[in-house]
Amino acid sequence: MPINYFIEQLQAKGVKITPQRQEIIKVFLESQDLHLSAEEVHRRITVKFPSMSLDTVYRNLSMLQKLGILTELNFGDRKSLFEINNSQHHHHLICTKCGGSQEIEFCPLDFLDKQHIKNFKVQKHSFEIFGICANCMQ
Amino acid sequence: MPINYFIEQLQAKGVKITPQRQEIIKVFLESQDLHLSAEEVHRRITVKFPSMSLDTVYRNLSMLQKLGILTELNFGDRKSLFEINNSQHHHHLICTKCGGSQEIEFCPLDFLDKQHIKNFKVQKHSFEIFGICANCMQ
DNA sequence: TCCTAATTAGGAATTATTACTATTTAAGAT
DNA sequence: ATCTTAAATAGTAATAATTCCTAATTAGGA
Ligand SMILES: [Mn+2]
Ligand SMILES: [Mn+2]
Ligand SMILES: [Zn+2]
Ligand SMILES: [Zn+2]
């Protein structure tokens, strides 16, 4: 997806198109399958735009997540990671040794008996598998 | 399970049976299906034993989790909750409005094609569904 | 009873995130 | 093209959860 696709989504929601917001989206579009913390997003942007505030990064990551443009991930350490909703819905294998992650195209919701979520309005879900990756096993 | 069951597990692992450790386990055995933060465990114990250190709670929750006696849960806010491995393995529905949780007896691993975890040694996993519970929907 | 490695209490430090506020700005109205 | 203003930002302070540090205590084996 080109950046304009996301900018149009922002316009449709009636939020302002600021240079800061565009930079944040660009960071995520720079490479595929990127899982970035707020700190890391900030670090990447300040290389070119040193005045970008960390608070602005947090505020926008949160907003982009609420709009469905980003997904927030929790890999067990206590900092959120974000990825852009650019490719197919997926989940992750996370190595507890090196911290690296691989994506798996399996979603529990496809196998969940709807009886389990009777009277519950599902908004989102998380599923991650933790263990030792091939590299760390030698 | 009586408390002795867990104390024997600690002995088998060669760790000391301190009063503090026993109090922590007792807190979790006081009621079923309890999901407690470190702070909450500490609060409950200091009613009777005011000298219990918060650091000791953290240190032991972490240790008990490594020994497989407790499970650590992350419900999206950034504080860990713990529950004792007393009943059947399960996952949770978490209400994003009231913060409450219900347990569901469905585990994604039972449906996961092992092809997805080839060359990956699984240690643990997380699966939670977030949404609005029956109460909060009116 | 003695010894010692393990554990603890209490407080300081760290880390991630959120709150605050004066200033700036995007974008619609004139 | 300028004006207007609600939304957004920068910079910094505050908060919350967790971890680290160190001197003192203690469980359990000798
Ligand atoms: Mn991913
Ligand atoms: Mn539970
Ligand atoms: Zn899914
Ligand atoms: Zn499971």
Side-chain angles (χ1 to χ4, degrees), chain B residues 87-123:
Chain B
S87 55
Q88 200 189 333
H89 175 72
H90 60 266
H91 293 278
H92 301 89
L93 308 182
I94 298 123
C95 181
T96 54
K97 202 163 185 191
C98 70
S101 62
Q102 310 165 230
E103 311 198 328
I104 51 171
E105 291 189 0
F106 163 87
C107 178
L109 292 198
D110 297 337
F111 298 86
L112 180 70
D113 183 348
K114 296 300 170 286
Q115 201 61 24
H116 282 120
I117 49 174
K118 241 186 131 187
N119 302 320
F120 189 88
K121 193 184 164 206
V122 174
Q123 292 172 331

Side-chain angles (χ1 to χ4, degrees), chain A residues 85-131:
Chain A
N85 295 331
N86 214 4
S87 56
Q88 200 190 332
H89 175 71
H90 59 268
H91 293 277
H92 302 90
L93 308 181
I94 298 123
C95 180
T96 53
K97 201 162 183 191
C98 70
S101 62
Q102 310 166 230
E103 311 197 329
I104 52 171
E105 291 190 359
F106 163 87
C107 177
L109 291 198
D110 296 338
F111 297 86
L112 180 69
D113 183 348
K114 295 301 173 285
Q115 200 62 25
H116 282 119
I117 50 174
K118 244 187 129 187
N119 303 320
F120 189 89
K121 193 182 163 207
V122 173
Q123 292 173 331
K124 58 177 181 170
H125 63 284
S126 67
F127 172 55
E128 2 272 340
I129 298 178
F130 299 89

Side-chain angles (χ1 to χ4, degrees), chain B residues 1-134:
Chain B
M1 303 278 193
I3 186 158
N4 277 9
Y5 171 77
F6 297 101
I7 290 184
E8 278 162 26
Q9 283 192 54
L10 293 180
Q11 279 169 333
K13 297 285 184 175
V15 304
K16 291 184 178 177
I17 312 303
T18 65
Q20 290 90 338
R21 271 169 196 165
Q22 296 181 3
E23 287 305 317
I24 290 174
I25 292 170
K26 277 188 204 163
V27 163
F28 283 101
L29 293 178
E30 267 164 19
S31 77
Q32 287 299 114
D33 307 334
L34 217 45
H35 307 127
L36 300 176
S37 67
E39 194 76 45
E40 177 64 17
V41 170
H42 185 244
R43 206 185 58 68
R44 290 183 183 216
I45 294 177
T46 49
V47 171
K48 282 189 160 181
F49 301 90
S51 74
M52 163 76 90
S53 160
L54 182 56
D55 179 76
T56 297
V57 174
Y58 273 106
R59 198 167 1 87
N60 280 295
L61 289 177
S62 171
M63 186 263 271
L64 292 169
Q65 182 261 330
K66 275 171 195 132
L67 296 189
I69 292 173
L70 298 179
T71 293
E72 185 173 358
L73 303 167
N74 273 98
F75 284 1
D77 50 3
R78 76 209 76 273
K79 84 180 140 203
S80 290
L81 300 182
F82 294 84
E83 68 182 349
I84 198 158
N85 295 330
N86 214 4
S87 55
Q88 200 189 333
H89 175 72
H90 60 266
H91 293 278
H92 301 89
L93 308 182
I94 298 123
C95 181
T96 54
K97 202 163 185 191
C98 70
S101 62
Q102 310 165 230
E103 311 198 328
I104 51 171
E105 291 189 0
F106 163 87
C107 178
L109 292 198
D110 297 337
F111 298 86
L112 180 70
D113 183 348
K114 296 300 170 286
Q115 201 61 24
H116 282 120
I117 49 174
K118 241 186 131 187
N119 302 320
F120 189 88
K121 193 184 164 206
V122 174
Q123 292 172 331
K124 56 178 182 170
H125 63 284
S126 67
F127 172 55
E128 3 270 341
I129 298 178
F130 299 90
I132 308 292
C133 74

